[in-house]
Amino acid sequence: MSNLPSVAGQTILQVIPELSAGGAERTVIEMAEAITEAGGRALVASEGGRLVDDLISAGGQHLTMDLASKNPVAIFRNAVRLSDIMKQEDVQLIHARSRAPGWSAWRAAQATETAFVTTYHGAYSGTSAPKKAYNSVMAKGDFVIANSRWIGDHVREVHDVPDDRVVIIPRGVDFNRFDPDSVSPDRISDLRQSWSLVNSDDRLILLLPARLTEWKGQMLALEALTLLSPDELDRLILVMAGDAQGRAGYVDRLQTFIADHSLIKSTRIAGHCTDMPAAFAASDIVMNPSMRPEAFGRTAAEAAAMMRPVIAADHGGARETVIDGQTGVRFAPGEAQSLAAAIRSLISIGPDARQSMGRTGLSHVRTHFSKRGLQAATLSVYSSLIAQGIARRA
């Protein structure tokens, strides 16, 4: 029998732009799994993507809609369609995880007097009045879920949301999937081959797992490599594993920088990786050099679960997932010299000290950042709102 809070007989709808890759998308699937296990019915509306099959395997049902569009007409039409769906499917609660679909979901919740929950997945950029107004929908939930203490503080400060409507629920790691003992040598070998690394290559692997976009810090990582000595550079290889998602211009810039600075032998642009547990197991050090604060930093927590030390920019949720000097190293955000020093420090301490950091990291995430904890806490929010019959505040 499940030990999760019950939502038996309830239909819960999550909305997100697409189900391609990313922490928010993975959390949608984890909650669909939990809703189903807890006796409820899990609907997800999005444009679709590579994770739809995972959603269905988790017990969810997918509804295809143009929810990524920021066009006001599309947002209005989506609100009408969501309202119709909510009436037809007897939806008791709608949970929005992004701004454009959030506006549609909020309007639909108003029209149907349905409980409305938001998860504030990131500190959205923009300080102009129109931008703040656009972002504000993520603070309109009957409960606003913040995926780190840092995001909780941000929501209260920027949107003046009272404490009793902000719920801190960190993202969780699936410890069945991210288990150091469950990754076979063959999976590691296959992944190394996909990265064009022969088994005899004994260089340290620095893994940067993130979609290829400016703010994730791939260019900063390359700049840091140029600040290492030739001997230090010879001892490592940087693997950038992530989907470009159509950003061909940025990939071209990365490739040009690599060629111009003679980094071809020391780098790999590996593309999207479907076996992240094996990717972490194949690496020696994991990097999260984001240029702007991560709301949580899921890859840092997952890497720690695989007993790998993490280098992370010293801002945002990384301050909660990475304990400086114990589970990894934090560096000054956006500063290549500081990142180079962090890389140098983890190279120099040797394998035993890195393994010790990995063990400490595993203990830290197991204590604070479990998938089961996320599922239980979120279901508690759902069941509370449903039981009280709370409609969205005017």
Side-chain angles (χ1 to χ4, degrees):
M1 181 178 292
S2 173
N3 60 358
L4 293 172
S6 175
V7 289
Q10 309 300 323
T11 298
I12 294 164
L13 172 62
Q14 299 180 82
V15 295
I16 194 165
E18 58 184 2
L19 284 175
S20 52
E25 290 83 352
R26 182 58 61 183
T27 305
V28 165
I29 294 168
E30 291 170 351
M31 284 313 304
E33 175 188 71
I35 292 164
T36 303
E37 183 181 336
R41 183 166 170 244
L43 306 181
V44 175
S46 84
E47 286 196 351
R50 64 166 64 94
L51 295 179
V52 169
D53 288 343
D54 290 359
L55 170 69
I56 294 170
S57 296
Q61 177 183 343
H62 186 258
L63 308 171
T64 303
M65 292 179 60
D66 180 23
L67 285 171
S69 176
K70 298 178 181 179
N71 185 296
V73 174
I75 289 173
F76 176 78
R77 288 175 177 169
N78 285 334
V80 173
R81 186 174 175 195
L82 285 173
S83 297
D84 290 342
I85 289 171
M86 291 160 70
K87 293 172 185 175
Q88 293 165 7
E89 303 294 341
D90 192 23
V91 170
Q92 280 77 45
L93 182 145
I94 184 166
H95 186 166
R97 297 181 179 275
S98 187
R99 291 164 294 176
W103 280 107
S104 300
W106 177 66
R107 293 181 183 280
Q110 282 189 310
T112 58
E113 296 188 334
T114 301
F116 179 55
V117 174
T118 59
T119 292
Y120 213 100
H121 281 284
Y124 305 110
S125 61
T127 57
S128 66
K131 194 69 171 181
K132 285 183 177 179
Y134 178 62
N135 296 343
S136 69
V137 71
M138 301 310 294
K140 290 182 180 291
D142 295 316
F143 281 118
V144 180
I145 296 173
N147 56 17
S148 66
R149 293 191 301 272
W150 178 75
I151 283 292
D153 291 341
H154 175 85
V155 169
R156 285 185 283 259
E157 178 182 349
V158 173
H159 300 289
D160 198 26
V161 179
D163 288 348
D164 62 357
R165 283 179 49 219
V166 178
V167 183
I168 310 299
I169 305 179
R171 284 182 182 164
V173 176
D174 183 347
F175 296 118
N176 291 322
R177 182 170 178 239
F178 291 93
D179 177 3
D181 295 328
S182 70
V183 179
S184 68
D186 286 344
R187 284 169 63 186
I188 295 173
S189 178
D190 289 346
L191 201 56
R192 285 177 61 93
Q193 289 181 26
S194 75
W195 294 342
S196 300
L197 295 174
V198 298
N199 288 330
S200 59
D201 192 331
D202 61 357
R203 288 178 293 175
L204 295 177
I205 294 177
L206 275 63
L207 177 66
L208 201 171
R211 62 185 179 273
L212 301 181
T213 183
E214 186 88 40
W215 79 272
K216 287 293 187 179
Q218 289 90 0
M219 188 63 76
L220 180 69
L222 293 176
E223 292 172 3
L225 292 191
T226 67
L227 301 175
L228 300 177
S229 70
D231 177 63
E232 290 167 336
L233 197 57
D234 286 344
R235 295 170 60 188
L236 60 83
I237 182 165
L238 171 65
V239 176
M240 294 175 281
D243 196 334
Q245 297 180 334
R247 300 180 186 89
Y250 182 58
V251 176
D252 287 344
R253 286 175 52 209
L254 294 175
Q255 291 173 333
T256 299
F257 188 97
I258 289 168
D260 289 348
H261 292 83
S262 302
L263 294 175
I264 292 174
K265 292 183 179 180
S266 301
T267 57
R268 298 287 188 276
I269 298 179
H272 179 69
C273 179
T274 58
D275 191 354
M276 287 309 302
F280 291 129
S283 66
D284 297 283
I285 299 166
V286 176
M287 299 174 60
N288 186 359
S290 299
M291 302 295 287
R292 62 177 189 254
E294 296 271 8
F296 174 71
R298 188 181 190 123
T299 56
E302 291 173 344
M306 294 300 294
M307 298 180 66
R308 294 298 180 264
V310 179
I311 296 173
D314 188 17
H315 53 189
R319 291 176 173 170
E320 298 165 43
T321 55
V322 180
I323 305 175
D324 191 33
Q326 297 182 46
T327 70
V329 179
R330 299 204 301 257
F331 71 94
E335 296 187 13
Q337 189 72 52
S338 182
L339 176 53
I343 295 170
R344 185 177 294 114
S345 69
L346 287 188
I347 293 174
S348 64
I349 62 175
D352 290 343
R354 288 194 295 270
Q355 288 173 9
S356 178
M357 278 188 166
R359 289 191 294 269
T360 303
L362 174 60
S363 176
H364 178 59
V365 297
R366 281 193 173 274
T367 301
H368 299 287
F369 307 118
S370 73
K371 181 184 85 169
R372 203 63 170 174
L374 173 144
Q375 290 174 324
T378 306
L379 285 177
S380 291
V381 169
Y382 292 170
S383 60
S384 173
L385 283 174
I386 292 170
Q388 296 174 50
I390 295 177
R392 196 207 65 80
R393 290 181 174 87

